[in-house]
Amino acid sequence: MPRAKPEVIVNVSLAGSDRDYDERVTFLHHDFRIVRVGTDGDVAAAEELVRKWADRAVAIAVTGIREARAAGLYDGELEAIDQVKRATTAVPVTDGHELRDVLQEWAIRHVQTEMPGFFNNARTVVLGGLNHDRTTRILREYTSNLEFADPLLRYDLPAKLDSMPVLGLAANAGLWPIRKLPGSVKSVINAPGSRLSHAKARKAARDCDIVVATYDELIGFGLEDLAGKTLVTSAVSDERLAELASRGVDMVLDATPQPFHVTVVAAMLEAMMHAVASGSGSLTNDDLLDMIIDAGLEPRVLYPNGPRRKSRFAFVIHPLSQKFFESVEPLGTIARVSPPMMMDVVEKALAYAPPFIYSHVTGIRSPTGAEAEGWLITVGGTPKELMAHSPEFTYGRLLAAAETAQKLGAQVMGLGAFTKVVGDAGVTVAKKAPLPITTGNSYSASGALWAAHEALVQLGLVEFSDSGRIKGKAMVVGATGAIGSVCAKLLALSSDDLWLVSPESAKLLALKHDIERSKPRAKIHIAATPNGHLGDMDLIVTATSGAGKRVLDIMEVKPGCVITDVARPLDLSAEDVARRPDVLVIESGEIELPGDVKMRDIGLPKGVAYACMAETVVLALEGRYETFTVGRNIEWEKVKEIYKLGLKHGMKLATISGANGVFSPEDITMTRELALERRAQAVQGHG
């Protein structure tokens, strides 16, 4: 039998005719001839084409008026598309809005499900107008950082008018004078390609993460500043995808599935669905769902430059002393010319200052290909000032910083230095902040022991088992604190004898019991103060929140001991450290970030961050936008997890550093020689 003649579906488009086609395809088990005819912005020609094809086609799609206007082919009213659709009643005529709405919403939810948190707080610029209404409504569920070229969408008027019919009638009456303006005048006011609309969106587009636009709208707006961005669009051809690749676009989310070898718009697919449904009026939701599933239609997530993902983080810092003010102008000038008493006044005043961005952090790139950018946000209080106020005062400063982070597009925020130990150690802030919070204490604990182990290896004064365990004695000062307790649990598995020191007697007893239940390798001892046992220790970890108070007598420490000071501010002063050149005092927690990192000075070598900040970066690189570490109790499982994730993303232990900077191999050798000399002198003295 001869093959049945295919049914004809026509797409009459007011956009350019350069993308016309005439092809045979199979869709939902039906054979179709699909034809696209562009009119290059000619409305009258479009009406005539609809009437002409009504005798041969079983359904007609009418599209392209916004694209034609964006491309400069048309400067009339958008409502003209309705008169084109009314050119015939002989066959179903659709603009595709029913299917388009479903596909737009599905595309956003699909990505948010597959890549949780992808759109969270994303800085988004929307070109075009009501053709992106459903996309923007769904994006508002995940981010408030939206900027629009269309004023109607900027104020979410379509949704408001839909939900309030009376308001809709009033708005229609109020807009009547504008509707009577010539199309050329209205296009100057509202058109995405106009100067006014450009001015509204251009600035936001430079720093945005997401652009929502058809390709024609994008051409009208300009293809600059697309590098590293995600484009949410529809009906992207291979040629256009190649152009976007050359512009450095990271990801293209195409809401319109492409089941054929030619690129079709959603209205063409909907017209074919009408034909399959035998033209029975509007398609019901059940019709749409059944046909979408039967046809295997899915949004397209395209990576024109290969798979990649860029995440965004924020990290809160604060001055550890008045010396910090010297690095921030105009405070630096004030510090240089002001007497100490004046700087005390400045220190008090800055505690009340609003948060500000100290540094934009760029260039972080994991070996996996994941990238991250972030912002260091400063709250003005020194530890002295933070301790002088109630915890609620600091919570307020941190929540203000979180609002700043949200506006910047951050998906997770870390708390640095003293901000993470005030009050309930991040619990309240995490409950009230508009984005996930982490204190970074899990990685701080991991980094502390990582650095300590490396220092002991380099000194070579302690023996290790084949499995890397220390054949010696260790002590944790501040053992009942958040980081101290985890360090204690780690050292209980990797040393012979472990002393836990804290003035909090009841907590100390509970910690000892908790550790001993897991049958550790080390014998556990407890003490309220460290001084009676310092002379026997090979490794000491100090992790108090003493804010500069003296926590141990360094003159009593064993020669060759490694002291890892993880407290911020430091537990040991530079003056104390200088008194014992035979003891290696390291400021643990520094992690070398992967990539070519650009960041303002935070008192560490280039590309190096404190472990608490590195935890925030690791979470961003992994796409884990979640509250990871808060509160006083750190989970051992999370310490192990963040350590493994750090290795996955290329985190390295930075060069070991102390109060005077990086320790060179010569510094380590000199400390070793002095330690051996003093040990020999001690033996002779006892003899």
Side-chain angles (χ1 to χ4, degrees), residues 442-683:
S442 293
Y443 212 16
S444 292
S446 174
L449 280 263
W450 195 359
H453 185 276
E454 182 63 23
L456 287 169
V457 170
Q458 291 191 28
L459 271 180
L461 297 175
V462 176
E463 292 185 19
F464 291 88
S465 68
D466 293 340
S467 61
R469 291 174 176 171
I470 305 166
K471 292 184 176 180
K473 298 181 179 181
M475 174 184 285
V476 179
V477 182
T480 55
I483 296 178
S485 62
V486 173
C487 288
K489 292 173 182 177
L490 289 167
L491 285 173
L493 300 174
S494 58
S495 60
D496 290 334
D497 284 275
L498 176 62
W499 285 84
L500 310 179
V501 178
S502 172
E504 299 177 303
S505 301
K507 289 184 178 179
L508 199 58
L509 288 166
L511 177 62
K512 179 177 184 293
H513 177 70
D514 185 36
I515 292 175
E516 288 178 334
R517 283 193 307 172
S518 62
K519 298 185 173 17
R521 174 173 176 263
K523 184 176 181 181
I524 308 300
H525 310 270
I526 57 175
T529 59
N531 293 336
H533 314 282
L534 294 174
D536 299 323
M537 298 300 122
D538 299 294
L539 170 65
I540 300 172
V541 176
T542 67
T544 78
S545 300
K549 297 177 182 178
R550 191 178 187 186
V551 299
L552 59 80
D553 184 355
I554 198 168
M555 299 308 296
E556 297 296 322
V557 172
K558 177 181 180 179
C561 178
V562 170
I563 301 178
T564 302
D565 191 344
V566 300
R568 297 295 182 272
L570 297 167
D571 278 332
L572 298 173
S573 67
E575 293 76 17
D576 269 354
V577 173
R579 296 167 66 194
R580 290 297 302 272
D582 60 320
V583 171
L584 193 64
V585 181
I586 63 176
E587 299 174 7
S588 179
E590 295 90 10
I591 303 292
E592 183 180 339
L593 303 176
D596 183 16
V597 181
K598 303 291 191 302
M599 176 173 61
R600 284 186 67 182
D601 180 27
I602 57 172
L604 295 174
K606 182 181 183 300
V608 175
Y610 294 111
C612 49
M613 175 178 167
E615 177 172 310
T616 313
V617 174
V618 169
L619 292 173
L621 289 171
E622 184 66 11
R624 294 275 295 273
Y625 316 123
E626 61 188 70
T627 296
F628 192 78
T629 310
V630 293
R632 300 289 178 194
N633 298 316
I634 301 176
E635 299 174 30
W636 163 233
E637 292 75 14
K638 288 189 173 181
V639 175
K640 291 190 293 184
E641 182 180 16
I642 201 70
Y643 173 74
K644 291 177 181 177
L645 289 176
L647 294 179
K648 171 185 175 181
H649 290 291
M651 301 289 168
K652 299 177 182 178
L653 179 67
T655 306
I656 299 173
S657 60
N660 297 313
V662 174
F663 285 112
S664 66
E666 293 76 18
D667 294 330
I668 301 288
T669 299
M670 183 167 58
T671 299
R672 172 185 166 84
E673 291 175 352
L674 287 172
L676 290 172
E677 181 181 328
R678 292 202 176 182
R679 287 185 182 187
Q681 291 172 354
V683 171

Side-chain angles (χ1 to χ4, degrees), residues 111-112 115-120 210 230 251 309 312 411 625:
V111 170
Q112 188 74 2
M115 294 179 276
F118 184 86
F119 292 110
N120 289 9
I210 311 289
T230 291
M251 189 177 95
R309 179 173 183 172
R312 305 170 300 279
Q411 294 155 300
Y625 316 123

Side-chain angles (χ1 to χ4, degrees), residues 10 12 14 37 39 42-56 60 62 83-88:
V10 178
V12 176
L14 276 85
V37 186
T39 69
D42 190 331
V43 174
E47 289 184 73
E48 181 59 31
L49 282 169
V50 169
R51 285 191 286 267
K52 171 186 172 183
W53 281 97
D55 293 335
R56 288 177 282 171
I60 298 174
V62 175
Q83 71 187 58
V84 177
K85 290 166 58 181
R86 291 193 297 267
T88 185

Side-chain angles (χ1 to χ4, degrees), residues 271-452:
M272 298 168 79
M273 291 178 176
H274 275 285
V276 171
S278 302
S280 56
S282 297
L283 295 171
T284 67
N285 288 337
D286 284 336
D287 291 334
L288 287 172
L289 290 173
D290 289 343
M291 293 184 190
I292 287 171
I293 293 172
D294 288 347
L297 302 181
E298 287 187 354
R300 299 196 302 162
V301 181
L302 309 170
Y303 297 96
N305 290 295
R308 61 180 60 184
R309 179 173 183 172
K310 180 184 285 186
S311 299
R312 305 170 300 279
F313 70 91
F315 186 73
V316 180
I317 61 175
H318 69 91
L320 296 179
S321 67
Q322 292 182 6
K323 187 176 181 181
F324 170 84
F325 302 150
E326 298 173 5
S327 63
V328 181
E329 293 297 341
L331 297 178
T333 301
I334 297 173
R336 287 189 290 273
V337 301
S338 300
M341 185 177 297
M342 176 59 70
M343 290 312 298
D344 289 342
V345 174
V346 171
E347 181 180 4
K348 289 181 179 297
L350 281 177
Y352 294 88
F356 67 90
I357 301 169
Y358 175 71
S359 177
H360 185 201
V361 184
T362 60
I364 300 174
R365 185 177 178 86
S366 163
T368 66
E371 299 179 28
E373 68 168 326
W375 297 267
L376 303 184
I377 301 175
T378 296
V379 293
T382 61
K384 174 183 173 184
E385 288 302 313
L386 294 179
M387 292 182 67
H389 292 82
S390 68
E392 286 70 25
F393 174 83
T394 302
Y395 297 162
R397 306 275 78 74
L398 294 178
L399 290 173
E403 290 179 3
T404 299
Q406 181 190 33
K407 292 176 183 176
L408 290 168
Q411 294 155 300
V412 61
M413 186 177 86
L415 307 182
F418 218 69
T419 66
K420 62 183 179 180
V421 300
V422 171
D424 55 17
V427 174
T428 296
V429 175
K431 288 179 180 178
K432 297 182 178 181
L435 74 170
I437 300 294
T438 188
T439 63
N441 280 343
S442 293
Y443 212 16
S444 292
S446 174
L449 280 263
W450 195 359

